[in-house]
Amino acid sequence: MDAVSGRGLSTGARYASPLVIFLLLGFLAPLVTVVAFAFAEPKSFEVFRTFTLDNFAAVLNPSNTVWRSFVWSLVLAALCVAMLAVIAYPIAYGLNRVFGRFAPLISVLFVFPLFVSENVRLYGWVQFFIKNGVLDGVLKAFDLGRAPDVLYSPGLTLFGMVYVYLPFMLFPITLGLAMVPRDLVDAAKDLGAGRLMVWREVELPLAMPGILIGMLLTFVLAVGAVAEARILGGQSVITVVHDIEVAFTYAQNWPLGAALAVLLVLIIGSLTLFVLTRLDLDRVLGKR
C-alpha cells in the first residue's frame, strides 16, 4: 500500500531514510572532505578556506617521482587481471562443465583462504621463499641447489596479487559461464560448428558480462594492493596507496594525499562507468 504521510513521504521513503542518511554521512561526507583537502594549500589543514591546484600539479610534475606509483599500481593491476583471466577461465569452465558433483567441494577450496587474514597468508609465502625457508630447505634436502632469490621483487609482488585476488576473478567468470544455455551450445554443435567456433561465437560472448565484472572487480582491488608490495615486494614496488598512506601519516601532507586519492578515484570511476555502459545488468542479475 503506497500510503503517503502528511509531509509527502511515502512509506518506502520513510523506511529507506535511515539508510540514505547513513550513506550520506558514511560515504558522501568523507568523499567531499577528501576532495576539499585536495584543493587546499600544500602541507596545511585549511580545508574549505583555500583553493589551489598545486597538489595536482605536484602529482603530475615529471620531476616528482610520485607519478611512478600510479604507473606501478596500474601496470601491476593490469598484469594481474590479464593473468587471472587466463588462469580463472579454465577453472570456471571446469566448475561448470567438468567437475559435476565435486564442483561445490572445489569451490570451497578456493573460498577457504578468504577466511584467513591476508597478511597471514602473505607471510606464509615469505616463509616459503625466504633464504633457508621451506623451498630452500626442500631443494637442499634433495641436493638440488639453492632456491632462486625471488623474494622482495616486483615479480613476487605480482604473484601475491594473483594469489590473493583469484577468487574475485573466478566466481564472476563462473557465474558468466553458468548463464550460457547448454541447448544453445548443443545446437551450434549440431549445425556443424567446431569446438573453437562454439567457444568464440557462443560461449565467450554470452559469458562476457561475468568476465567483465570479474576483471573490473579484480582491477579495482589490485590497484589498491599495498600488503602484497609491502610484505612480498619489500618496498621494491611503491604503489599509489602506499604514497597516499605516507602523505596522510608520516609526511603530514593531507592535501597531497587527498589529491592522489581523488585522481585514483577518477581513474577507477571512469573505468567502472566505461565497463558498466557495456554490460546488460538485467541479464547479469537474472531479471530476463
Side-chain angles (χ1 to χ4, degrees):
M1 180 177 180
D2 295 332
V4 179
S5 67
R7 295 184 178 180
L9 289 178
S10 65
T11 303
R14 292 201 306 273
Y15 285 131
S17 57
L19 178 60
V20 173
I21 295 173
F22 175 78
L23 290 176
L24 290 176
L25 293 177
F27 175 76
L28 189 58
L31 183 60
V32 171
T33 303
V34 170
V35 172
F37 261 109
F39 295 99
E41 290 291 336
K43 296 184 179 181
S44 73
F45 298 93
E46 298 180 356
V47 63
F48 298 112
R49 289 185 291 177
T50 59
F51 182 88
T52 180
L53 297 176
D54 291 347
N55 301 300
F56 294 97
V59 174
L60 300 176
N61 188 348
S63 63
N64 193 339
T65 58
V66 71
W67 61 270
R68 295 181 182 176
S69 63
F70 269 102
V71 175
W72 270 116
S73 294
L74 295 175
V75 169
L76 285 176
L79 290 174
C80 179
V81 169
M83 293 177 65
L84 281 176
V86 175
I87 295 171
Y89 190 93
I91 301 174
Y93 185 88
L95 290 174
N96 277 287
R97 300 286 187 265
V98 178
F99 296 116
R101 61 191 180 92
F102 295 103
L105 175 60
I106 296 175
S107 300
V108 170
L109 295 178
F110 286 103
V111 173
F112 182 75
L114 296 178
F115 293 96
V116 181
S117 171
E118 178 182 341
N119 288 349
V120 173
R121 288 181 282 149
L122 292 177
Y123 276 114
W125 283 113
V126 171
Q127 297 300 317
F128 183 83
F129 286 108
I130 200 170
K131 182 180 179 181
N132 296 323
V134 176
L135 180 60
D136 206 16
V138 170
L139 293 178
K140 288 180 179 178
F142 289 95
D143 198 21
L144 297 176
R146 299 184 61 87
D149 188 14
V150 296
L151 193 60
Y152 307 133
S153 65
L156 200 62
T157 300
L158 179 60
F159 167 81
M161 294 168 63
V162 171
Y163 163 72
V164 169
Y165 301 122
L166 175 60
F168 300 98
M169 175 71 82
L170 175 62
F171 292 108
I173 294 181
T174 303
L175 175 62
L177 289 172
M179 293 189 298
V180 179
R182 289 302 303 166
D183 54 353
L184 194 60
V185 174
D186 294 337
K189 292 180 179 179
D190 292 340
L191 292 173
R195 185 68 192 89
L196 180 61
M197 181 176 290
V198 171
W199 174 78
R200 187 180 66 246
E201 302 295 336
V202 179
E203 291 182 343
L204 186 61
L206 293 177
M208 189 55 66
I211 296 173
L212 288 178
I213 290 176
M215 295 176 72
L216 176 62
L217 178 61
T218 304
F219 185 83
V220 171
L221 293 172
V223 167
V226 64
E228 294 82 4
R230 182 175 297 166
I231 296 175
L232 294 179
Q235 301 299 324
S236 61
V237 173
I238 302 299
T239 62
V240 64
V241 176
H242 177 267
D243 277 344
I244 293 173
E245 180 184 359
V246 169
F248 275 106
T249 54
Y250 303 108
Q252 285 296 294
N253 192 353
W254 288 24
L256 179 61
L260 288 168
V262 168
L263 289 175
L264 185 61
V265 169
L266 289 176
I267 293 173
I268 298 301
S270 301
L271 178 65
T272 302
L273 291 176
F274 175 79
V275 173
L276 290 180
T277 56
R278 283 155 176 77
L279 286 179
D280 186 351
L281 294 180
D282 287 337
R283 182 172 178 272
V284 173
L285 297 174
K287 294 182 178 180
R288 64 185 177 94

